Amino acid sequence: VDALGHVVENRTVLAALEARLAASDVRRLSGVAVASVDTDEDGATVRYAIPGSDTRDGVVRARLVIGVDGVDSGVRAALGIGVRRHDYAQCAILGAIRLERDHGHVAHERFTDGGPLALLPRPQRVISFVECAAPADAARVGALDDDGFLAHLQERFGQRLGRFVEVGPRSVMPLARFEAERQVGRRTVLLGNAVRLLHPIAGQGYNLALRDVATLVATLDADRDARGAAAADPGEARKLAAFAAGRRADQRRVVALTDSLARSFRGENAVLAHLRALALIGLDGVPPLRRRFARAAMGMT
């Protein structure tokens, strides 16, 4: 294929979404917080706190509530949905560096003893990095000054992209996997990081969320009439159950893939390191395996 995938800056995506929202008839309530979500046979009632008001809440009535409000989802909490967590005992160091030469719009991922190191191209000679490391190592590396960090990252990655000349602000975040105990309920659906957070090793969390969105839209659009009008209840239990069933196999496959990679591609054991190297060489040298892996990574299963 011409490209296994593309890296798009989040601010570019957000600007495009903001423009589409501004041109739509979507009602937007900015800066409010979900206080409660109550469902019944006919719909859902969402109460939200209004900033600066201690006594007055707003209310929205809807036939379907979609919670897509991130890891600390207020919708998920209001529905009383628990989560299952796994701590990888790893941290990710995030930031961006400037290169002395062009990166050629190619993303790189190296598998080190501390975990994966990914470099993702951005406009001009800038590249984002995600380095996974044990918490103690991440704290030490995160405390380095700019010159010290550039030297560290250069040593970890090598010279394939030339010299690293400048680094921007860096952040350190713990890595864990979590999944909501359920994705759909009466009149409710969770999407994105509200339902699932994956290890970043294969860059699959965002792609999986987009496929969830596409399937939900297709499920709801299936009941539109010839004029394009919604012909049935979008929060109907039958539809939500069909959506969940249709997504289950893909979700389980991607969760298993990222979890196994995160657990396998780390550590200093020489035998395991050689096995990992042989697996990558085999993947590169056997075209049917390479094509199958590429299609899975692109979500084309």
Side-chain angles (χ1 to χ4, degrees):
V1 295
D2 292 335
L4 184 68
H6 296 273
V7 179
V8 184
E9 287 188 299
N10 199 43
R11 60 184 177 184
T12 302
V13 176
L14 291 178
L17 292 176
E18 288 286 349
R20 293 291 295 271
L21 279 171
S24 75
D25 59 356
V26 173
R27 179 187 174 198
R28 303 181 67 188
L29 304 170
S30 300
V32 304
V34 173
S36 66
V37 180
D38 298 304
T39 63
D40 53 47
E41 292 298 326
D42 298 321
T45 301
V46 180
R47 290 179 172 81
Y48 56 90
I50 299 174
S53 174
D54 297 328
T55 59
R56 186 168 60 91
D57 288 343
V59 178
V60 170
R61 181 74 179 169
R63 291 184 294 173
L64 175 63
V65 174
I66 302 174
V68 58
D69 49 344
V71 173
D72 299 318
S73 170
V75 173
R76 188 184 67 231
L79 292 170
I81 299 175
V83 297
R84 299 182 295 270
R85 298 180 183 271
H86 172 74
D87 185 354
Y88 286 108
Q90 269 188 329
C91 291
I93 307 168
L94 312 168
I97 53 176
R98 189 175 301 280
L99 310 174
E100 69 174 349
R101 67 172 189 242
D102 190 75
H103 47 56
H105 304 287
V106 175
H108 298 263
E109 186 163 22
R110 293 182 65 86
F111 296 102
T112 76
D113 51 7
L117 167 61
L119 272 67
L120 310 171
R122 292 172 60 174
Q124 301 176 344
R125 295 181 178 179
V126 175
I127 204 158
S128 293
F129 63 83
V130 182
E131 180 183 12
C132 297
D137 293 333
R140 175 183 56 80
V141 172
L144 294 172
D145 62 18
D146 288 358
D147 290 340
F149 184 82
L150 283 173
H152 159 80
L153 204 64
Q154 191 85 70
E155 188 274 331
R156 296 296 274 172
F157 182 78
Q159 301 293 326
R160 178 171 291 187
L161 287 172
R163 189 168 65 91
F164 301 162
V165 297
E166 185 181 359
V167 62
R170 304 178 293 282
S171 59
V172 178
M173 60 178 292
L175 293 177
R177 183 191 79 242
F178 87 77
E179 292 184 87
E181 292 177 347
R182 66 178 188 271
Q183 183 168 17
V184 302
R186 187 166 68 171
R187 301 279 171 186
T188 55
V189 177
L190 298 179
L191 293 175
N193 282 352
V195 70
R196 183 177 295 104
L197 179 69
L198 303 180
H199 193 287
I201 188 169
Q204 289 297 309
Y206 187 72
N207 296 337
L208 185 62
L210 287 181
R211 295 200 294 276
D212 278 357
V213 171
T215 301
L216 181 60
V217 169
T219 301
L220 299 182
D221 277 350
D223 284 332
R224 289 183 179 273
D225 61 21
R227 298 167 298 173
D233 182 355
E236 186 181 352
R238 173 187 58 84
K239 291 181 188 170
L240 301 185
F243 159 74
R247 294 297 304 136
R248 193 168 293 123
D250 186 27
Q251 292 168 353
R252 289 176 175 173
R253 176 185 61 80
V254 172
V255 170
L257 171 67
T258 57
D259 189 62
S260 61
L261 288 175
R263 294 172 185 266
S264 302
F265 281 86
R266 61 182 295 189
E268 299 180 0
N269 184 287
V271 174
L272 291 178
H274 286 301
L275 289 175
R276 290 192 292 261
L278 287 173
L280 290 173
I281 292 171
L283 185 65
D284 188 49
V286 181
L289 287 178
R290 185 171 66 243
R291 284 193 293 269
R292 183 174 179 180
F293 182 82
R295 289 180 63 83
M298 292 186 287
M300 298 171 62
T301 55

